[in-house]
Amino acid sequence: MSTYIVGFDKTILLSYILLAIIGLIVMVDISSVQSSMTYFYKQLIFVFISGIAVVFILYFFNF
Amino acid sequence: MKKLRFANTYFVYLSIFLLVLVLLKGTTVKGATRGISLGLISIQPSFFARVALVFFFANVLDKKHDLLLETKNILHFPKNFPELTLLTVLVFVLIFVGKHLSAIVIAGVTLMSMLLYAGIRKRIILIIMGLGLLTGMLIITQGDSFRMQRMQTFKKYSLFFKERDLSQSANADYQVRESLVALTSGGLFGTGIARGRAKHYYLPEARTDYVYTIIGEEAGYLGAMVVFLLHSLLFFAALRMSNKQENRYYRFLGAGMALNIYSNVLVNTGVAMSILPPTGNTLPFISYGGSALLMDSVAVGVILNISAQRRTL
């Protein structure tokens, strides 16, 4: 017997995605006045890893 | 599907281990020992500890819910919830030694809100709040001098205090002053994206603690409001979803995770606008930083997981 997800709260996910995108835009903006874009690239990696964490927790855990 | 509930207490033990490790092997930045450096990145266990405590509280409050409702006196609370009291105090002490007071404030607000949400008597919460405020005042007046200095800066620039002397500015006021200057210059519509002044080294913590100031300066009051409303939307949607859960543990866990994120938002935006005394904490999902972003995302993952509708075949 297997259980699978057929739906979840889209409002929460959408708010999260929008905030993460705004965060990346702000990071590009702040990094643009510095000598390198290191902070933006690092933030991009953090967002990617965090996104994977969200999907992983959503689909593979049962609290 | 793996059941994670059994691991709730172990999360707290792990966070205690990591907090001790930070104190022993952590890197000290600006007088505070908060992170362990792992080459390119640095992890901050206090963020993990906050999420671990929410898991732990949800579990204990669900299992001992009847006892919580029966608790009439503050003195009965540690007796009825010995493990909860002991581990929470231990985590708070370790975070305090690492000089991350804002993490204690955010965790404290979150956990007290969880207790209130679970149905604890308001009188007990008021006493715990009173004790917390008293401890905070003692820490500020008797502890490190930089905290007292921050309170004086807050008194100087906060709109709550009528008699303010802004004629003499000190170096300690720098961040707060620049934050208010930037927010004011933003006006209603902002200076325009990439046209702000504060990020040009006027505001040293622009990408972390004062990122809301950068948004307020460049996107104006309206832009800052959009960001705040998005955080509020996430919080209230999560709270509404949690309230609908039949399972009490899910209800407490979902609300706790939402409160953990939103109390962080309120503290960060409050500091940027000088509504609260200056303290170092990030704006969820926006500020630069791996640990904060990852742990806030874990909280979102947990909330989404609770909200998920499942079908069994």
Side-chain angles (χ1 to χ4, degrees):
Chain A
M1 208 161 64
S2 62
T3 306
Y4 64 96
I5 290 171
V6 289
F8 51 83
D9 198 316
K10 306 276 189 305
T11 313
I12 297 167
L13 183 68
L14 190 68
S15 319
Y16 169 70
I17 291 171
L18 285 173
L19 284 166
I21 290 171
I22 292 170
L24 284 173
I25 294 169
V26 174
M27 247 8 94
V28 172
D29 181 35
I30 294 172
S31 301
S32 66
V33 298
Q34 291 170 342
S35 53
S36 75
M37 298 288 279
T38 312
Y39 289 118
F40 166 68
Y41 292 130
K42 276 190 176 181
Q43 185 75 353
L44 196 63
I45 294 166
F46 293 149
V47 168
F48 181 70
I49 293 169
S50 301
I52 291 172
V54 169
V55 175
F56 191 71
I57 291 167
L58 171 60
Y59 283 98
F60 296 101
F61 286 103
N62 186 357
F63 297 101
Chain B
M1 297 285 265
K2 295 166 188 170
K3 277 269 183 195
L4 261 190
R5 191 169 175 174
F6 78 95
N8 284 342
T9 315
Y10 297 112
F11 288 157
V12 182
Y13 291 147
L14 179 63
S15 60
I16 288 170
F17 169 74
L18 290 171
L19 286 166
V20 172
L21 196 67
V22 161
L23 294 177
L24 297 174
K25 301 269 180 190
T27 45
T28 304
V29 179
K30 294 177 186 173
T33 313
R34 297 175 181 176
I36 307 167
S37 182
L38 299 173
L40 284 173
I41 58 162
S42 162
I43 57 161
Q44 290 195 34
S46 54
F47 292 109
F48 176 74
R50 271 170 39 200
V51 172
L53 282 175
V54 171
F55 270 113
F56 184 54
F57 263 61
N59 189 28
V60 174
L61 295 180
D62 175 42
K63 279 184 178 169
K64 294 185 167 183
H65 193 243
D66 292 338
L67 202 57
L68 183 80
L69 299 180
E70 283 168 19
T71 308
K72 292 176 182 170
N73 193 322
I74 182 73
L75 297 172
H76 296 158
F77 189 82
K79 206 165 70 181
N80 292 343
F81 300 92
E83 202 183 12
L84 186 103
T85 311
L86 192 73
L87 289 178
T88 308
V89 170
L90 185 59
V91 168
F92 278 18
V93 167
L94 288 171
I95 296 175
F96 173 72
V97 176
K99 295 185 179 176
H100 198 176
L101 200 60
S102 59
I104 298 176
V105 172
I106 293 163
V109 170
T110 304
L111 301 177
M112 275 198 292
S113 307
M114 278 183 81
L115 286 171
L116 207 60
Y117 185 80
I120 195 173
R121 284 165 196 265
K122 290 183 183 70
R123 192 178 55 191
I124 297 177
I125 279 291
L126 284 173
I127 295 170
I128 295 175
M129 271 174 69
L131 287 171
L133 281 174
L134 199 70
T135 314
M137 278 167 67
L138 272 172
I139 289 169
I140 290 165
T141 52
Q142 306 299 319
D144 292 322
S145 60
F146 76 93
R147 290 201 179 101
M148 195 63 200
Q149 212 167 34
R150 283 180 177 183
M151 283 309 288
Q152 282 164 350
T153 304
F154 171 61
K155 212 173 157 186
K156 195 168 167 183
Y157 288 94
S158 175
L159 293 171
F160 297 131
F161 294 93
K162 281 184 180 174
E163 289 173 19
R164 293 178 296 149
D165 179 21
L166 300 178
S167 57
Q168 287 186 329
S169 60
N171 280 341
D173 307 348
Y174 185 75
Q175 292 257 39
V176 176
R177 193 177 59 239
E178 285 301 320
S179 176
L180 290 175
V181 167
L183 282 172
T184 312
S185 64
L188 188 62
F189 299 106
T191 55
I193 303 297
R195 290 181 179 172
R197 168 187 162 277
K199 66 188 177 198
H200 291 271
Y201 304 102
Y202 286 98
L203 210 51
E205 304 297 337
R207 64 178 181 275
T208 51
D209 305 344
Y210 284 92
V211 76
Y212 195 66
T213 302
I214 302 297
I215 296 168
E217 186 191 24
E218 299 194 352
Y221 173 78
L222 290 177
M225 207 48 168
V226 166
V227 170
F228 186 74
L229 287 176
L230 276 173
H231 279 114
S232 303
L233 181 69
L234 194 151
F235 171 67
F236 287 109
L239 207 59
R240 188 191 58 191
M241 179 280 298
S242 303
N243 286 338
K244 285 181 187 168
Q245 298 299 315
E246 285 176 17
N247 183 315
R248 195 169 51 204
Y249 171 64
Y250 287 166
R251 217 161 50 228
F252 293 165
L253 187 60
M257 290 296 171
L259 283 162
N260 183 39
I261 295 170
Y262 202 56
S263 51
N264 202 348
V265 173
L266 294 179
V267 171
N268 183 280
T269 52
V271 168
M273 293 183 287
S274 218
I275 293 170
L276 293 172
T279 181
N281 84 303
T282 56
L283 183 64
F285 318 117
I286 307 267
S287 288
Y288 172 79
S291 303
L293 181 60
L294 183 64
M295 291 325 292
D296 288 331
S297 299
V298 165
V300 169
V302 173
I303 292 167
L304 287 174
N305 186 298
I306 294 169
S307 80
Q309 295 109 43
R310 295 181 170 85
R311 188 173 290 165
T312 307
L313 280 178

